[in-house]
Amino acid sequence: MIGFLPNPTSRTLQPVPDPMHAASATLVWLIALVSSSLAQAPARGITSGKRVPRFVVRNALVVQGNGTPAAGPYDIVIEGNTIADMVALDPVAVKTGRAKRPSAEAEIDAAGKYVLPGLINAHAHLQNERGGQPQPYEYQLKLWLASGITTIREVSPSSQPKPFLELKEKSNAGTLEAPRMFIYAGFAADPVPRTPDQARARVQQLKTAGVDGIKIVGLDRDIMAAMEDEARKAGLPVAHHTGVEETTAWDDIKLGTRSIEHWYGVPDAALKDGVQGFPSSYNYHDEVDRFRWAGRLWREADPEKLHQVLKGMVENNVAWDPTLVIYEASRDLQRAQSQPWFKDYLHPTLEEYFRPNPANHGSYFIGWSSTDEAYWKENYRIWMAALRDFERMGGVIGVGEDAGFIYQMYGFGVIRELELHQEAGFHPLKVIQHATLNNARILGQENRIGRVRAGHLADLIVVNGNPLEDLKVLYPTGTTTMRDGKEVHTGGVEWTIKDGIPYHGPTLLAQVKEMVAQARAAVKAGQ
Ligand SMILES: [Zn+2]
């Protein structure tokens, strides 16, 4: 029989009848019955995490990533790390003789599945600790892959990119189970550049270190102007975490920022009188203050001025990576605190970090009120309308999660972000484009990744279900549906193929579950 059982503890394959091996078929059938009912595509000659020189993903219904409708079936030929060919198998192609099925030593059958470009997480933080407590990189790397993420843009504040560049190298070499990495170094740390000359020197220093871009936050205007000018000359794109700062989106527009991260600087650029209506007691460094009053910012933006700001961003090629997901706890704390995947997959280090604690960034939920949530809900409505306005004018919207903070888990955060883009009013095809082709554009990599297309790098995912109908099928833990009058567990990214290497999603997830169980046991033993 054709079958693939990557890990006996993970979800197993569907039984394949085989009269010659009735006993083993019955056994597999029993395993399938007692374990999760998630259907798994059979695979032949494929081992999770191992590159094969050539394989075919068969019978794939493809969402290309550029906003065009699903099409298929296709046999997708992968050679090395490249999509070598896509052979159409539709009835017209069959009738006209174009559907010449490629042979292969190894294959994944994607019949009944959807194939998408690998998702790109444009706002990722590589973290091996939270609140000073260790947490292995493998935890987040496996979760990202299990969630279908084949590329991350690392945007941590550190100006010491060496450890991240080492991870990137291992990922590129295929020796680390990890998404592709683009390392944007923090600009203004260790030590903080204080003058325009120091700002230019810092850009040069990061360029020499070999980073892919620069992440900025909280710069005064003269420093930002010098660093952006130097970054442009050095060919380094800039991602701006916009806070409530001296600069606003207008500075990003004028200075050439590649992407605005989050949002504050956008409504800030459209304030009637150029200043926020915060209370006199407000202190920006008090995170309860900061996040509470941020929830009243969008309503202060003048709609006409806001439209002009968005237009300015579009005309000057400033993309927007809104990270809607990282503020969701502000509008619905209880939802954020009780996400179902916490039960088996929340690392105890992260769990501890999420607890309300003024000393942990983003853990500000002390005395969070129904009034705060009501304001934040309105905040989201205006914000989402601005995003729609922005895209309609031609703006590029990306997808990032900012996980590791505020109850957001790696990977799951990206999928939730997709749901929030749908809530904002975008068609699922557009939502998927945000996370694939648009993010590739933000990275300046649109000729290599972000699409399922012959000649592009082989970064794609095989999804058990139709994400155009329900984005929740992309959660690594899957979702439920009704089939023949019965509740069935379905969904999940079965295969994440990154740089031509197939990773089996359920196997990675089972490994994370084990990692978390062991870490919890160690915490318990230490008490
Ligand atoms: Zn961040």
Side-chain angles (χ1 to χ4, degrees):
M1 55 169 278
I2 293 171
F4 173 64
L5 195 60
N7 181 334
T9 61
S10 78
R11 301 174 190 107
T12 77
L13 73 169
Q14 289 243 308
V16 178
D18 181 345
M20 298 300 288
H21 298 91
S24 71
T26 308
L27 183 64
V28 173
W29 179 234
L30 282 172
I31 292 169
L33 277 180
V34 296
S35 65
S36 159
S37 57
L38 253 194
Q40 183 193 303
R44 181 172 59 89
I46 300 278
T47 306
S48 183
K50 295 272 178 299
R51 191 193 288 284
V52 285
R54 182 176 186 278
F55 68 103
V56 177
V57 179
R58 295 208 184 275
N59 307 306
L61 196 51
V62 174
V63 175
Q64 210 202 113
N66 58 349
T68 56
Y74 281 102
D75 275 0
I76 304 168
V77 183
I78 294 163
E79 287 178 4
N81 69 347
T82 305
I83 300 173
D85 197 7
M86 292 181 64
V87 180
L89 304 171
D90 56 89
V92 174
V94 170
K95 195 177 173 191
T96 55
R98 281 184 287 121
K100 291 202 175 54
R101 301 203 75 163
S103 63
E105 296 292 301
E107 60 186 27
I108 291 170
D109 186 359
K113 323 280 173 187
Y114 276 70
V115 166
L116 276 58
L119 306 178
I120 301 172
N121 176 5
H123 197 112
H125 293 289
L126 286 164
Q127 294 169 337
N128 63 355
E129 59 79 33
R130 303 311 296 129
Q133 296 303 310
Q135 178 182 281
Y137 281 127
E138 285 75 14
Y139 170 66
Q140 59 176 183
L141 298 176
K142 284 177 192 290
L143 277 177
W144 276 328
L145 285 176
S147 307
I149 294 158
T150 52
T151 295
I152 61 159
R153 182 176 62 160
E154 145 67 36
V155 286
S156 289
S158 170
S159 298
Q160 306 292 336
K162 202 161 168 264
F164 300 146
L165 291 166
E166 284 169 6
L167 289 172
K168 173 185 166 170
E169 212 167 286
K170 286 183 192 158
S171 172
N172 283 348
T175 56
L176 180 70
E177 288 192 335
R180 206 178 283 285
M181 296 178 188
F182 291 88
I183 308 299
Y184 282 41
F187 171 76
D190 355 284
V192 180
R194 303 285 183 197
T195 66
D197 281 350
Q198 286 174 11
R200 289 179 188 278
R202 171 58 54 83
V203 172
Q204 286 307 328
Q205 176 200 330
L206 293 174
K207 174 78 180 169
T208 305
V211 301
D212 300 293
I214 297 177
K215 147 91 174 285
I216 61 170
V217 54
L219 302 182
D220 287 340
R221 188 165 282 118
D222 55 339
I223 304 289
M224 180 170 161
M227 77 76 48
E228 291 252 18
D229 182 57
E230 198 68 22
R232 188 177 46 74
K233 288 178 192 157
L236 291 174
V238 175
H240 183 189
H241 166 131
T242 58
V244 172
E245 306 171 350
E246 181 175 287
T247 65
T248 70
W250 278 123
D251 296 279
D252 293 304
I253 291 164
K254 285 176 199 150
L255 298 174
T257 299
R258 183 69 197 96
S259 68
I260 284 179
E261 304 299 301
H262 317 309
W263 57 277
Y264 303 81
V266 181
D268 271 2
L271 297 173
K272 276 200 187 80
D273 300 315
V275 67
Q276 302 84 6
F278 295 149
S280 56
S281 61
Y282 179 94
N283 173 359
Y284 188 66
H285 282 188
D286 175 334
E287 290 203 358
V288 179
D289 261 8
R290 189 194 305 173
F291 285 92
R292 170 167 292 147
W293 295 97
R296 279 95 158 153
L297 255 185
W298 275 108
R299 64 189 351 242
E300 293 187 34
D302 175 72
E304 182 44 36
K305 277 190 159 184
L306 179 60
H307 183 76
Q308 293 307 319
V309 174
L310 298 173
K311 196 158 166 266
M313 287 168 64
V314 172
E315 286 166 356
N316 291 277
N317 207 22
V318 181
W320 192 357
D321 174 17
T323 66
L324 292 154
V325 68
I326 202 61
Y327 303 92
E328 204 179 12
S330 297
R331 74 168 188 175
D332 191 346
L333 182 58
Q334 193 179 329
R335 184 190 203 286
Q337 289 177 327
S338 55
Q339 296 173 73
W341 30 87
F342 286 179
K343 181 172 159 283
D344 288 331
Y345 305 103
L346 179 59
H347 196 283
T349 295
L350 202 50
E351 184 177 5
E352 182 58 34
Y353 186 78
F354 285 161
R355 286 187 219 288
N357 178 350
N360 286 343
H361 173 52
S363 303
Y364 50 88
F365 294 99
I366 297 165
W368 201 252
S369 69
S370 62
T371 307
D372 293 322
E373 291 191 351
Y375 272 112
W376 263 98
K377 282 171 186 166
E378 182 202 36
N379 216 37
Y380 267 83
R381 286 193 290 275
I382 308 169
W383 182 9
M384 287 173 166
L387 283 163
R388 286 201 307 278
D389 194 22
F390 177 66
E391 184 171 281
R392 279 183 188 143
M393 283 189 279
V396 174
I397 295 175
V399 160
E401 67 177 0
D402 208 4
F405 300 98
I406 322 184
Y407 302 105
Q408 286 309 322
M409 273 176 63
Y410 317 102
F412 292 92
V414 163
I415 311 306
R416 180 63 190 153
E417 178 74 8
L418 299 183
E419 287 191 80
L420 291 168
H421 285 225
Q422 184 174 34
E423 181 184 324
F426 297 106
H427 189 287
L429 284 167
K430 280 287 175 193
V431 174
I432 291 166
Q433 184 185 328
H434 293 175
T436 55
L437 181 58
N438 284 14
N439 272 352
R441 277 185 183 144
I442 291 170
L443 286 164
Q445 298 291 322
E446 68 269 36
N447 295 326
R448 302 170 72 223
I449 57 173
R451 285 170 82 153
V452 184
R453 186 187 193 187
H456 272 43
L457 291 173
D459 287 7
L460 46 130
I461 60 178
V462 180
V463 182
N464 188 21
N466 180 356
L468 303 176
E469 180 192 353
D470 183 5
L471 291 165
K472 290 183 196 294
V473 300
L474 292 165
Y475 281 114
T477 43
T479 185
T480 54
T481 189
M482 288 294 273
R483 228 171 261 159
D484 303 327
K486 288 201 187 79
E487 183 185 329
V488 178
H489 191 227
T490 185
V493 175
E494 276 187 24
W495 291 98
T496 298
I497 301 163
K498 170 244 166 181
D499 208 36
I501 304 173
Y503 295 95
H504 187 244
T507 300
L508 293 166
L509 201 60
Q511 289 167 349
V512 170
K513 189 173 177 179
E514 181 58 30
M515 196 185 292
V516 168
Q518 284 184 14
R520 285 176 182 169
V523 170
K524 223 171 174 193
Q527 276 168 355

PDB file of all heavy atoms in Angstrom, residues 328-339:
ATOM      1  N   GLU A 328      -5.642  42.780  19.661  1.00  0.00           N
ATOM      2  CA  GLU A 328      -6.967  42.217  19.831  1.00  0.00           C
ATOM      3  C   GLU A 328      -7.353  42.047  21.295  1.00  0.00           C
ATOM      4  O   GLU A 328      -8.529  42.160  21.653  1.00  0.00           O
ATOM      5  CB  GLU A 328      -7.100  40.878  19.099  1.00  0.00           C
ATOM      6  CG  GLU A 328      -8.563  40.624  18.800  1.00  0.00           C
ATOM      7  CD  GLU A 328      -8.834  39.334  18.058  1.00  0.00           C
ATOM      8  OE1 GLU A 328      -7.942  38.489  17.946  1.00  0.00           O
ATOM      9  OE2 GLU A 328      -9.974  39.189  17.612  1.00  0.00           O
ATOM     10  N   ALA A 329      -6.370  41.799  22.146  1.00  0.00           N
ATOM     11  CA  ALA A 329      -6.685  41.668  23.573  1.00  0.00           C
ATOM     12  C   ALA A 329      -7.291  42.964  24.113  1.00  0.00           C
ATOM     13  O   ALA A 329      -8.072  42.943  25.063  1.00  0.00           O
ATOM     14  CB  ALA A 329      -5.424  41.307  24.356  1.00  0.00           C
ATOM     15  N   SER A 330      -6.969  44.081  23.480  1.00  0.00           N
ATOM     16  CA  SER A 330      -7.490  45.362  23.951  1.00  0.00           C
ATOM     17  C   SER A 330      -8.985  45.496  23.691  1.00  0.00           C
ATOM     18  O   SER A 330      -9.686  46.201  24.396  1.00  0.00           O
ATOM     19  CB  SER A 330      -6.765  46.522  23.257  1.00  0.00           C
ATOM     20  OG  SER A 330      -5.401  46.509  23.596  1.00  0.00           O
ATOM     21  N   ARG A 331      -9.466  44.806  22.668  1.00  0.00           N
ATOM     22  CA  ARG A 331     -10.899  44.908  22.392  1.00  0.00           C
ATOM     23  C   ARG A 331     -11.677  43.730  22.959  1.00  0.00           C
ATOM     24  O   ARG A 331     -12.895  43.771  23.032  1.00  0.00           O
ATOM     25  CB  ARG A 331     -11.178  45.066  20.895  1.00  0.00           C
ATOM     26  CG  ARG A 331     -10.992  43.824  20.063  1.00  0.00           C
ATOM     27  CD  ARG A 331     -11.571  43.963  18.655  1.00  0.00           C
ATOM     28  NE  ARG A 331     -11.527  42.678  17.974  1.00  0.00           N
ATOM     29  CZ  ARG A 331     -12.047  42.447  16.783  1.00  0.00           C
ATOM     30  NH1 ARG A 331     -12.652  43.405  16.114  1.00  0.00           N
ATOM     31  NH2 ARG A 331     -11.980  41.258  16.248  1.00  0.00           N
ATOM     32  N   ASP A 332     -10.975  42.649  23.317  1.00  0.00           N
ATOM     33  CA  ASP A 332     -11.657  41.474  23.857  1.00  0.00           C
ATOM     34  C   ASP A 332     -10.652  40.657  24.669  1.00  0.00           C
ATOM     35  O   ASP A 332     -10.115  39.661  24.195  1.00  0.00           O
ATOM     36  CB  ASP A 332     -12.241  40.636  22.716  1.00  0.00           C
ATOM     37  CG  ASP A 332     -13.181  39.548  23.221  1.00  0.00           C
ATOM     38  OD1 ASP A 332     -13.178  39.264  24.442  1.00  0.00           O
ATOM     39  OD2 ASP A 332     -13.909  38.972  22.381  1.00  0.00           O
ATOM     40  N   LEU A 333     -10.428  41.084  25.889  1.00  0.00           N
ATOM     41  CA  LEU A 333      -9.392  40.469  26.730  1.00  0.00           C
ATOM     42  C   LEU A 333      -9.671  38.988  26.972  1.00  0.00           C
ATOM     43  O   LEU A 333      -8.777  38.158  26.902  1.00  0.00           O
ATOM     44  CB  LEU A 333      -9.289  41.223  28.058  1.00  0.00           C
ATOM     45  CG  LEU A 333      -8.209  40.730  29.017  1.00  0.00           C
ATOM     46  CD1 LEU A 333      -6.831  40.790  28.382  1.00  0.00           C
ATOM     47  CD2 LEU A 333      -8.229  41.545  30.311  1.00  0.00           C
ATOM     48  N   GLN A 334     -10.944  38.684  27.230  1.00  0.00           N
ATOM     49  CA  GLN A 334     -11.267  37.296  27.576  1.00  0.00           C
ATOM     50  C   GLN A 334     -10.971  36.353  26.403  1.00  0.00           C
ATOM     51  O   GLN A 334     -10.473  35.251  26.595  1.00  0.00           O
ATOM     52  CB  GLN A 334     -12.736  37.207  27.959  1.00  0.00           C
ATOM     53  CG  GLN A 334     -13.090  35.886  28.625  1.00  0.00           C
ATOM     54  CD  GLN A 334     -14.544  35.836  29.021  1.00  0.00           C
ATOM     55  OE1 GLN A 334     -15.157  36.854  29.337  1.00  0.00           O
ATOM     56  NE2 GLN A 334     -15.109  34.652  29.021  1.00  0.00           N
ATOM     57  N   ARG A 335     -11.263  36.805  25.184  1.00  0.00           N
ATOM     58  CA  ARG A 335     -10.964  35.990  24.010  1.00  0.00           C
ATOM     59  C   ARG A 335      -9.471  35.701  23.924  1.00  0.00           C
ATOM     60  O   ARG A 335      -9.051  34.571  23.715  1.00  0.00           O
ATOM     61  CB  ARG A 335     -11.403  36.721  22.728  1.00  0.00           C
ATOM     62  CG  ARG A 335     -11.200  35.899  21.493  1.00  0.00           C
ATOM     63  CD  ARG A 335     -11.413  36.713  20.226  1.00  0.00           C
ATOM     64  NE  ARG A 335     -11.754  35.848  19.116  1.00  0.00           N
ATOM     65  CZ  ARG A 335     -10.889  35.051  18.492  1.00  0.00           C
ATOM     66  NH1 ARG A 335      -9.627  35.006  18.855  1.00  0.00           N
ATOM     67  NH2 ARG A 335     -11.288  34.275  17.506  1.00  0.00           N
ATOM     68  N   ALA A 336      -8.707  36.765  24.124  1.00  0.00           N
ATOM     69  CA  ALA A 336      -7.257  36.635  23.990  1.00  0.00           C
ATOM     70  C   ALA A 336      -6.682  35.680  25.038  1.00  0.00           C
ATOM     71  O   ALA A 336      -5.748  34.931  24.765  1.00  0.00           O
ATOM     72  CB  ALA A 336      -6.602  38.002  24.097  1.00  0.00           C
ATOM     73  N   GLN A 337      -7.267  35.728  26.238  1.00  0.00           N
ATOM     74  CA  GLN A 337      -6.709  34.932  27.338  1.00  0.00           C
ATOM     75  C   GLN A 337      -7.127  33.470  27.305  1.00  0.00           C
ATOM     76  O   GLN A 337      -6.601  32.671  28.068  1.00  0.00           O
ATOM     77  CB  GLN A 337      -7.133  35.545  28.685  1.00  0.00           C
ATOM     78  CG  GLN A 337      -6.425  36.867  28.959  1.00  0.00           C
ATOM     79  CD  GLN A 337      -6.885  37.516  30.235  1.00  0.00           C
ATOM     80  OE1 GLN A 337      -8.052  37.382  30.619  1.00  0.00           O
ATOM     81  NE2 GLN A 337      -6.001  38.225  30.912  1.00  0.00           N
ATOM     82  N   SER A 338      -8.090  33.125  26.470  1.00  0.00           N
ATOM     83  CA  SER A 338      -8.604  31.751  26.501  1.00  0.00           C
ATOM     84  C   SER A 338      -8.576  31.096  25.129  1.00  0.00           C
ATOM     85  O   SER A 338      -9.508  30.412  24.748  1.00  0.00           O
ATOM     86  CB  SER A 338     -10.032  31.753  27.062  1.00  0.00           C
ATOM     87  OG  SER A 338     -10.847  32.640  26.306  1.00  0.00           O
ATOM     88  N   GLN A 339      -7.499  31.319  24.402  1.00  0.00           N
ATOM     89  CA  GLN A 339      -7.405  30.716  23.072  1.00  0.00           C
ATOM     90  C   GLN A 339      -7.181  29.205  23.213  1.00  0.00           C
ATOM     91  O   GLN A 339      -6.376  28.768  24.037  1.00  0.00           O
ATOM     92  CB  GLN A 339      -6.277  31.381  22.280  1.00  0.00           C
ATOM     93  CG  GLN A 339      -6.584  32.860  22.027  1.00  0.00           C
ATOM     94  CD  GLN A 339      -5.420  33.597  21.399  1.00  0.00           C
ATOM     95  OE1 GLN A 339      -5.106  33.425  20.247  1.00  0.00           O
ATOM     96  NE2 GLN A 339      -4.766  34.446  22.177  1.00  0.00           N
TER      97      GLN A 339
END
